Amino acid sequence: MQETTREQNQRLALVTGATGAIGKAIARAIAQQPGYRVVLLCRNPQKADTAVGDIIASSGNQRVSQEIVDVSSKRSIEALAQRLRDPVHVLVNNAAITPRRRQETSAGIELQFATNVLGYFWLTRALTEQLRSGSPARVVNVASYWAGDLDLDDLEFKRRPYNNNTAYRQSKQANRMLTIALAQRLSKDGVTVNACHPGDVSSRLSNNLGFGGHESPHDGARTPAWLATDAVGQRETGKYFEQMQVRRCRFGEDSEKVEALYQACLAY
Ligand SMILES: NC(=O)c1ccc[n+]([C@@H]2O[C@H](COP(=O)([O-])OP(=O)(O)OC[C@H]3O[C@@H](n4cnc5c(N)ncnc54)[C@H](OP(=O)(O)O)[C@@H]3O)[C@@H](O)[C@H]2O)c1
């Protein structure tokens, strides 16, 4: 009975890309807070097991586990949403890539757009019922200040020459715009959606873009982990944060463009 009550009082947090530099640090920071069960959403079972073991050892929280999902695949995300029926209180969309060459998923979608943009969008939508039943619940979209050049007529670099930096900046602009569109739609359900820049951290993702990164993963995870666990993440919605402060987001100011991007993503 006591065990049941303890489980009922636990908040369930999901973190994508938790085998990577910042995602693992976000998952650890949440696991270190009292009352959280954390599920790492990863594509590689071996790496996921290692990350689970590391986070349990360093946080002392035994309630850390993993589920396998490829966030670049709508089918894989929908299968995850079928398996994972518990109320969800926190979803951190963080998994992203910066491949140097243009690649496509097996469904024929440009890989960076599928992973960084549609992955966040599909997962949030696929888990809406679970977030609703976890309400008050929140979604944290790990975006970036390194954002811009979104071309609504060429989201997949079919017309423009592919460049991983431009494709990345576009994807992070899209994360920030879709945060607003999703926040508007989910507010009636008691689900908030906010975006943030984490920190500048050396990782496969940043190294592929030619960046080193001067912050530790722990420091880089501070703002997303704070939005995931602090009251601010439930009080605010549709906002963009840097260094634990709300910042003006110029990408959210053109509501027609935000809506057009939302509709474009719905078509996938
Ligand atoms: N690093 C920075 O300086 C910086 C700055 C601003 C914003 N950000 C943002 O922070 C977030 C994390 O970046 P990071 O630097 O920590 O990157 P990272 O170390 O390269 O980690 C990326 C993570 O995403 C996972 N992933 C990639 N494709 C996936 C897929 N199809 N399905 C499931 N998981 C997938 C990777 O899994 P595997 O381990 O299996 O490859 C890995 O866990 C990103 O959203 C990025 O845009 C980073």
Side-chain angles (χ1 to χ4, degrees), residues 16-23 41-44 47 69-72 93-97 115 120 142-145 168 172 175 197-206 213:
T16 71
T19 53
I22 295 172
L41 304 183
C42 307
R43 60 178 168 177
N44 179 313
K47 281 171 123 179
V69 63
D70 173 355
V71 298
S72 70
N93 286 307
N94 162 82
I97 51 165
T115 308
Y120 285 31
V142 180
S144 184
Y145 61 60
Y168 178 72
K172 295 292 126 178
N175 290 158
H197 172 73
D200 293 335
V201 174
S202 180
S203 68
R204 190 178 52 213
L205 178 144
S206 61

Side-chain angles (χ1 to χ4, degrees), residues 169-221:
R169 291 179 70 250
Q170 164 173 278
S171 75
K172 295 292 126 178
Q173 176 177 347
N175 290 158
R176 288 164 56 173
M177 291 167 71
L178 291 168
T179 293
I180 294 166
L182 287 161
Q184 287 163 351
R185 286 165 171 88
L186 293 176
S187 67
K188 63 178 185 327
D189 300 310
V191 181
T192 62
V193 188
N194 289 295
C196 66
H197 172 73
D200 293 335
V201 174
S202 180
S203 68
R204 190 178 52 213
L205 178 144
S206 61
N207 296 165
N208 266 343
L209 295 172
F211 291 117
H214 61 281
E215 289 174 72
S216 67
H218 173 80
D219 288 342

